Amino acid sequence: MAHSVLVVEDEEDIAFPLVRTLEREGYAVRWVDNGSRALDELNLRPTDILILDLGLPDMDGLDVCRTARESGFEGAIMIVTARAGELDRVVGLDYGADDYLSKPFGLAELQARVRALLRRTGGNTPPGLPEGALRIDAGARRVHVGDTEVTLTGKEFDVLSVLAGQRDKVVSRERLMAEAWDENWFGSTKTLDVTIGRLRQKLEAAGVTDKVVAVRGVGFRLEGGSAD
């Protein structure tokens, strides 16, 4: 299932390209233009990431952030605003924001930050997961199936997190190497194959229903019905 993103931005010329860019990345995107509707949306539908402007017409975005957290919202919150003051950044983080991006910003940078937030938070995990469902706690860097923890090395966890962030989509070998190792890595890509092999063995041994599938000549895909 695609990760759910709620964009809260009252300026159409900013919101439209942002929504289109995220949709092309495969996210399920909703857009609202004020704080009240944003809070209603968070209560109505599961949301993995809230992208929040501060200068909204009906209420301050900082109040939206605080109210969302007080109401139990556990997804990631990224504040996107023209306010450049340190005080706003500090207050936003204190109110529960996970990241802060100043306008104007590049769409490529925003995409990278969204991916990083998903790796850190793991997205929302819905209740009633089926037996064998994989749960990733990005903050604690721990993986569970049911009540059992799957012990992974640092690189195994990083590879799984990248794949889970693009569930059911092919992730290229180059992207996996760049995000799990380093974009300047000059070693053999066989390192990735060895890591994938160990990861598969551990997931299968734990009874995880998700599968890491190789796509010849391209990369790998995480398939399965569990939440990430």
Side-chain angles (χ1 to χ4, degrees):
M1 178 182 294
H3 286 293
S4 174
V5 180
L6 176 62
V7 174
V8 187
E9 169 61 65
D10 64 320
E11 296 184 42
E12 292 186 0
D13 58 340
I14 295 176
F16 285 175
L18 177 55
V19 169
R20 286 197 301 269
T21 297
L22 292 170
E23 287 177 338
R24 283 197 297 267
E25 282 279 295
Y27 300 109
V29 186
R30 291 125 56 211
W31 169 52
V32 298
D33 59 4
N34 64 63
S36 297
R37 289 184 60 194
L39 293 172
D40 289 341
E41 279 290 319
L42 292 179
N43 288 327
L44 289 172
R45 308 184 200 177
T47 302
D48 294 310
I49 294 185
L50 171 64
I51 298 178
L52 176 64
D53 180 37
L54 295 188
L56 300 173
D58 60 335
M59 60 192 300
D60 194 292
L62 291 173
D63 291 327
V64 176
C65 180
R66 180 184 60 189
T67 302
R69 290 302 190 206
E70 290 176 350
S71 301
F73 176 64
E74 297 181 351
I77 299 178
M78 178 191 298
I79 289 177
V80 178
T81 181
R83 298 183 195 174
E86 181 181 4
L87 180 59
D88 283 316
R89 290 198 298 271
V90 171
V91 172
L93 295 172
D94 284 343
Y95 279 2
D98 299 283
D99 201 359
Y100 198 107
L101 186 60
S102 296
K103 297 178 182 177
F105 55 85
L107 290 174
E109 180 183 2
L110 183 133
Q111 288 173 284
R113 289 180 180 237
V114 167
R115 291 193 297 266
L117 282 176
L118 284 172
R119 290 198 298 272
R120 281 160 46 190
T121 64
N124 283 341
T125 302
L129 289 176
E131 184 177 354
L134 185 66
R135 292 186 293 112
I136 301 174
D137 184 342
R141 292 182 65 83
R142 301 174 74 178
V143 175
H144 291 82
V145 54
D147 296 324
T148 302
E149 181 170 1
V150 182
T151 303
L152 301 179
T153 67
K155 293 305 179 189
E156 290 164 0
F157 182 89
D158 290 339
V159 168
L160 179 60
S161 295
V162 175
L163 291 172
Q166 295 293 315
R167 177 177 295 280
D168 295 322
K169 297 187 178 190
V170 179
V171 181
S172 69
R173 298 174 66 88
E174 292 77 14
R175 178 172 172 182
L176 283 168
M177 293 297 297
E179 295 200 29
W181 276 267
D182 185 273
E183 61 183 6
N184 297 316
W185 170 265
F186 293 111
S188 171
T189 59
K190 288 293 184 184
T191 302
L192 175 60
D193 295 312
V194 172
T195 302
I196 289 284
R198 290 198 309 261
L199 178 60
R200 281 173 169 160
Q201 290 175 356
K202 291 181 179 182
L203 295 180
E204 290 173 4
V208 176
T209 54
D210 301 81
K211 305 293 182 184
V212 179
V213 178
V215 180
R216 184 179 295 275
V218 182
F220 298 90
R221 178 177 61 238
L222 182 67
E223 296 181 350
S226 65
D228 49 346

